[in-house]
Amino acid sequence: MAKKALITGLTGQDGSYLAELLLDKGYEVYGMVRRSSSSGFGRISHFADKIHIISGDLLDQFSLMDAIDQAQPDEIYNLASQSYVPLSWTQPALTAEYTAIGVSRLLEAIRRCKPDARLYQASSSEVFGQPDESPQTERTAFRPRNPYGVAKAYAHWMTINYRQQYGLYACCGITYTHESPRRGAEFVFRKITRGAVKIKLGLAHELKLGNLDARRDWCHAEDVVNAMWMMLQQNTPDDYIIASGETHTVKELVDFAFSSVGLNWQDYVSVDPAFYRPDEPVTLAGSIDKIKREIQWQPKYSFAKLVEAMVENDLKELTTAED
């Protein structure tokens, strides 16, 4: 019989790529969505008829239990959260409810309804905040510096505690910033690639950004979801950093994106202090030594290939919209 998987956050960037991956592997896929999210199916519209959509909400304990009872999944991937860091400052309590307490509700639902299911919990490099070492490893101390990072740290440790206390097969993947053509326009990588294309097409004349010297560890969402799946195929559950293993500055990203469309970024980009993050972290760079060694995962997309894919997609989208 085909394996069954339940994905929370199905309609997000990672959820859509993961669902495609699992369908390709012959899984029966269930996607849990909040009832109010039924109109946001753009990322999954091309395969929505191949999956089961069920209602559930990380704010509602009983809806989680009902979703697990209905799906009877072999694997559960919790990708749902309030994941936009700036919003976590304006809505810290709601971020905590979804991103932290919601994981407690899910863990308890698994323990009561399907304790043999394998869980992937999406952790984040934001748990490190201002780390005392770079690159970070799975042993680096957590020092989160924003409400989102604090909530993810709670969820991470709660997952480990349920694994230790109840013997659940539960893993945490500490993901660094990952991008794709399905990334929301509010995130800086997509803002830059889309901004370069808009200027190239005459749809905009300027792009305002924050700290151009900030360094990030960027990888492709397709690589990340493949790591998620591989983690749940191991004999023993464990936690891993999922990253590219290298960093680039925002300025490098800007230069590459604008060069890809034949423009000099210095003619169009201005720095606006309003876009600086108040908690601008020191370099967040993930060591992927452990995940490469233990489960033989490594990213397939280079930084250059990622930028090219994003720019190409934005050109296609915006040119089609113009027509």
Side-chain angles (χ1 to χ4, degrees):
M1 292 181 64
K3 281 187 177 180
K4 296 181 180 181
L6 173 64
I7 303 171
T8 74
L10 171 73
T11 58
Q13 170 189 250
D14 295 1
S16 64
Y17 279 113
L18 178 62
E20 284 181 317
L21 175 70
L22 296 177
L23 286 171
D24 286 343
K25 293 183 178 297
Y27 279 66
E28 186 175 352
V29 178
Y30 291 77
M32 191 186 84
V33 298
R34 289 180 289 119
R35 197 171 294 276
S36 61
S37 298
S38 59
S39 61
F41 285 1
R43 292 186 180 98
I44 66 167
S45 59
H46 56 294
F47 61 83
D49 60 333
K50 298 179 182 178
I51 59 179
H52 308 280
I53 304 295
I54 56 179
S55 293
D57 196 320
L58 291 174
L59 299 185
D60 183 355
Q61 179 77 64
F62 292 107
S63 74
L64 296 175
M65 295 172 72
D66 287 344
I68 292 172
D69 277 337
Q70 182 177 341
Q72 287 296 300
D74 300 290
E75 299 171 5
I76 299 172
Y77 297 84
N78 183 36
L79 310 182
S81 74
Q82 190 302 99
S83 60
Y84 188 47
V85 171
L87 185 60
S88 76
W89 283 110
T90 58
Q91 297 184 350
L94 185 63
T95 297
E97 282 290 345
Y98 273 112
T99 308
I101 306 303
V103 177
S104 289
R105 296 187 185 101
L106 179 61
L107 286 163
E108 190 61 15
I110 294 170
R111 184 179 77 85
R112 292 175 179 272
C113 301
K114 195 70 168 61
D116 62 337
R118 296 188 171 195
L119 170 68
Y120 172 86
Q121 166 58 27
S123 192
S124 166
S125 61
E126 291 291 337
V127 299
F128 296 125
Q130 189 171 17
D132 53 11
E133 62 180 357
S134 187
Q136 295 82 52
T137 74
E138 289 80 2
R139 294 182 177 275
T140 300
F142 288 5
R143 299 171 64 186
R145 299 191 66 211
N146 55 63
Y148 172 72
V150 171
K152 280 294 187 182
Y154 173 99
H156 183 99
W157 284 113
M158 189 61 74
T159 301
I160 292 173
N161 272 264
Y162 264 69
R163 181 170 75 211
Q164 295 172 340
Q165 180 70 17
Y166 299 113
L168 297 185
Y169 189 111
C171 300
C172 294
I174 305 174
T175 56
Y176 282 65
T177 308
H178 45 288
E179 311 293 336
S180 77
R182 299 177 191 176
R183 185 64 141 159
E186 70 273 19
F187 292 92
V188 69
F189 203 109
R190 187 76 188 282
K191 178 180 178 180
I192 290 169
T193 61
R194 202 166 184 82
V197 169
K198 282 185 174 181
I199 292 171
K200 177 66 176 179
L201 297 177
L203 302 175
H205 304 286
E206 183 184 22
L207 179 62
K208 293 183 178 182
L209 297 169
N211 184 5
L212 298 182
D213 294 320
R215 283 190 168 273
R216 295 289 185 272
D217 185 324
W218 282 297
C219 54
H220 198 296
E222 284 188 359
D223 285 328
V224 169
V225 301
N226 190 47
M228 296 176 186
W229 176 78
M230 291 177 70
M231 285 172 61
L232 294 196
Q233 311 314 307
Q234 307 308 305
N235 292 329
T236 304
D238 204 350
D239 311 309
Y240 297 92
I241 281 175
I242 306 172
S244 72
E246 60 184 46
T247 62
H248 298 272
T249 64
V250 174
K251 186 183 295 183
E252 288 178 76
L253 169 57
V254 171
D255 187 19
F256 206 111
F258 275 77
S259 296
S260 296
V261 292
L263 298 176
N264 180 359
W265 70 269
Q266 293 174 318
D267 295 333
Y268 305 99
V269 175
S270 62
V271 174
D272 186 343
F275 292 108
Y276 275 65
R277 280 173 55 170
D279 63 330
E280 188 65 63
V282 298
T283 301
L284 288 175
S287 169
I288 56 176
D289 289 347
K290 180 181 176 182
I291 195 169
K292 286 171 65 177
R293 181 180 66 253
E294 295 189 5
I295 68 174
Q296 289 74 56
W297 174 89
Q298 61 182 5
K300 296 179 180 179
Y301 277 83
S302 66
F303 176 72
K305 187 177 178 183
L306 172 59
V307 180
E308 289 170 356
M310 299 276 284
V311 170
E312 182 180 340
N313 179 80
D314 286 328
L315 270 171
K316 182 180 178 180
E317 281 191 2
L318 291 173
T319 301
T320 302
E322 279 284 278
D323 295 341

